Amino acid sequence: MDLNNKVALITGASSGIGKAIAQELDSVGMKLVLTARSQDKLEQLAASLKNAKVLAGAITDAQMPYSLLEFALESYGRLDVVINNAGVMTIGAIEEVDIDSIAQMARLNVEAVYRMAYTTLKHFKKVGSGFLINTSSIAGLKTAPTYGAYNGTKHAVEAFTDALRMELAGTGIKVASVAPGTVDTGLYDNWTQENKDYISSGGVLLPEDISRSVRFILEQPDHVLIPRMLVVPTNQPV
Ligand SMILES: NC(=O)c1ccc[n+]([C@@H]2O[C@H](COP(=O)([O-])OP(=O)(O)OC[C@H]3O[C@@H](n4cnc5c(N)ncnc54)[C@H](OP(=O)(O)O)[C@@H]3O)[C@@H](O)[C@H]2O)c1
């Protein structure tokens, strides 16, 4: 796809991977809609980009995907790419895990991803084109003790992406996932030092390593689809 002047909607754009994707897609001339809860951070980011508009809010609000689609169409008259990226990572042993945080993670990492995907794919089907990329994780391809609930959310994203890809074959619409290993972002801000040390024991990627991969997926010619890109630090031990 020639990305120049195309329109992308990015969730979780206020920090980390989503912010880097916004900067990468801006650099190739895309027009952007940025969303997350932190309006200030989004506006600061938008001010540093050539053509970006902000609609802040909780993506777990069931109305939000409709509002974002409408906002993109009102702002730019089209929507070509959706980066379904917002997510959190809550882990813990059975004795210590907070079930409400786990349920909140499931609503964000799974329910909001489904809602965003179905809302925007209905639009893509109407216009006969579009590209959806879901941010999954290496945790969506394997499991680890105490990571089960997060593993479950990202396995759900992988299964959903794969099924959609097949459902949409022949429609002109592409669906893919990007599955990072450990990336140095705010995702681990509330973690214990011990858990941080474990997750980064093989080194860390930079958000730019993922945004470069997303751009690569998007720039493939029409007849090529990279359905999943797994990107890990060279020395990641799992
Ligand atoms: N970092 C890694 O090692 C890694 C590895 C594999 C996969 N991932 C995945 O990458 C994605 C991005 O994470 P990141 O690493 O870039 O972490 P991050 O820096 O913490 O970014 C998370 C983004 O999600 C947004 N967000 C969180 N809760 C939200 C809510 N309820 N409603 C709307 N937006 C919300 C945050 O913005 P606000 O707080 O402003 O709302 C922020 O923009 C996630 O899906 C994560 O699972 C990360």
Side-chain angles (χ1 to χ4, degrees), residues 119-167:
T119 303
T120 50
L121 286 171
K122 280 181 206 286
H123 170 73
F124 287 168
K125 282 207 91 171
K126 241 189 279 169
V127 298
S129 66
F131 208 139
L132 169 70
I133 298 186
N134 296 318
T135 305
S136 163
S137 170
I138 188 174
L141 307 172
K142 7 177 111 203
T143 62
T146 74
Y147 283 64
Y150 182 72
N151 286 138
T153 68
K154 293 301 185 179
H155 275 68
V157 172
E158 280 297 331
F160 183 52
T161 306
D162 194 47
L164 287 174
R165 176 185 61 78
M166 292 183 281
E167 180 178 343

Side-chain angles (χ1 to χ4, degrees), residues 15 23 66 76 86 98 122 143 173 190-191 204 217 225 232-233:
S15 70
Q23 289 165 329
Y66 298 104
Y76 299 119
D98 170 20
K122 280 181 206 286
T143 62
I173 300 162
N190 298 323
W191 281 36
V204 292
I217 295 171
L225 174 63
V232 300

Side-chain angles (χ1 to χ4, degrees), residues 21-238:
I21 292 172
Q23 289 165 329
E24 184 76 36
L25 298 185
D26 174 74
S27 78
V28 291
M30 289 196 85
K31 298 171 181 171
L32 305 176
V33 170
L34 308 177
T35 190
R37 292 164 304 177
S38 310
Q39 181 143 11
D40 289 358
K41 286 190 196 169
L42 290 173
E43 278 171 1
Q44 221 178 325
L45 173 62
S48 71
L49 305 176
K50 288 186 283 290
N51 213 337
K53 294 186 190 298
V54 167
L55 184 63
I59 198 72
T60 45
D61 173 350
Q63 187 54 38
M64 198 58 180
Y66 298 104
S67 304
L68 284 163
L69 174 61
E70 207 174 276
F71 183 65
L73 296 178
E74 270 171 14
S75 302
Y76 299 119
R78 59 187 296 150
L79 178 65
D80 304 282
V81 171
V82 172
I83 311 288
N84 221 349
N85 167 75
V88 292
M89 186 173 185
T90 303
I91 63 161
I94 293 159
E95 300 77 21
E96 66 197 24
V97 89
D98 170 20
I99 190 63
D100 290 325
S101 302
I102 295 294
Q104 222 175 329
M105 173 174 67
R107 281 198 289 277
L108 176 63
N109 291 14
V110 183
E111 181 185 334
V113 166
Y114 289 178
R115 286 184 183 278
M116 192 72 208
Y118 281 125
T119 303
T120 50
L121 286 171
K122 280 181 206 286
H123 170 73
F124 287 168
K125 282 207 91 171
K126 241 189 279 169
V127 298
S129 66
F131 208 139
L132 169 70
I133 298 186
N134 296 318
T135 305
S136 163
S137 170
I138 188 174
L141 307 172
K142 7 177 111 203
T143 62
T146 74
Y147 283 64
Y150 182 72
N151 286 138
T153 68
K154 293 301 185 179
H155 275 68
V157 172
E158 280 297 331
F160 183 52
T161 306
D162 194 47
L164 287 174
R165 176 185 61 78
M166 292 183 281
E167 180 178 343
L168 291 165
T171 63
I173 300 162
K174 292 183 178 183
V175 182
S177 74
V178 63
T182 306
V183 189
D184 187 12
T185 70
L187 199 70
Y188 307 106
D189 281 356
N190 298 323
W191 281 36
T192 63
Q193 195 54 46
E194 190 188 352
N195 285 331
K196 279 186 193 171
D197 290 346
Y198 170 74
I199 200 89
S200 59
S201 60
V204 292
L205 298 171
L206 299 174
E208 294 72 27
D209 297 319
I210 304 307
S211 57
R212 202 169 54 246
S213 306
V214 166
R215 175 179 163 186
F216 185 73
I217 295 171
L218 289 173
E219 282 185 331
Q220 295 307 305
D222 284 351
H223 69 289
V224 177
L225 174 63
I226 299 169
R228 174 197 299 142
M229 192 177 284
L230 174 63
V231 189
V232 300
T234 303
N235 298 322
Q236 181 151 314
V238 293

